[in-house]
Amino acid sequence: REDEEFEGKQTWAELGGSSHAQHYLQNFDEHPTNLMLGQTCDHQAQADARVICQKHLGTVAHSSYLEECVYDVCAGGGEEAAEMTAEMLKF
């Protein structure tokens, strides 16, 4: 971590986020290679990711966040990526 002077000492849950998102972020910090970033997505995988993102993003599913979510889910983040995006958009 290069910006330690700006690092928050509180957990995501302590900041008001869900415990599910807290677990995801902690797991990612400890094991960043768990997300297979760079995985290629065919048309079916993109369509499946779009359905997952629309489910979690609800009313913002028409925004640019949808395409970012589709990329994240399809690139290996799975449904957890969509859940985390939805959680962050609550703020």
Side-chain angles (χ1 to χ4, degrees):
R1 297 180 187 242
E2 295 180 20
D3 295 328
E4 289 184 16
E5 66 183 287
F6 301 108
E7 180 179 6
K9 301 299 181 192
Q10 295 173 299
T11 65
W12 184 252
E14 291 170 338
L15 293 170
S18 71
S19 59
H20 181 76
Q22 161 79 30
H23 175 72
Y24 174 85
L25 293 169
Q26 182 177 1
N27 186 42
F28 182 77
D29 282 344
E30 293 171 0
H31 310 286
T33 57
N34 281 354
L35 290 179
M36 298 171 8
L37 298 175
Q39 174 180 333
T40 59
C41 299
D42 60 23
H43 291 293
Q44 185 59 51
Q46 287 180 5
D48 294 344
R50 186 173 304 282
V51 169
I52 290 170
C53 290
Q54 288 172 332
K55 176 177 97 174
H56 289 285
L57 297 183
T59 59
V60 296
H62 65 281
S63 71
S64 64
Y65 294 112
L66 176 64
E67 293 308 315
E68 294 173 19
C69 179
V70 169
Y71 174 82
D72 291 343
V73 170
C74 202
E79 190 159 359
E80 285 184 330
E83 292 168 347
M84 188 173 74
T85 300
E87 184 73 26
M88 287 191 277
L89 289 173
K90 288 181 182 178
F91 293 100

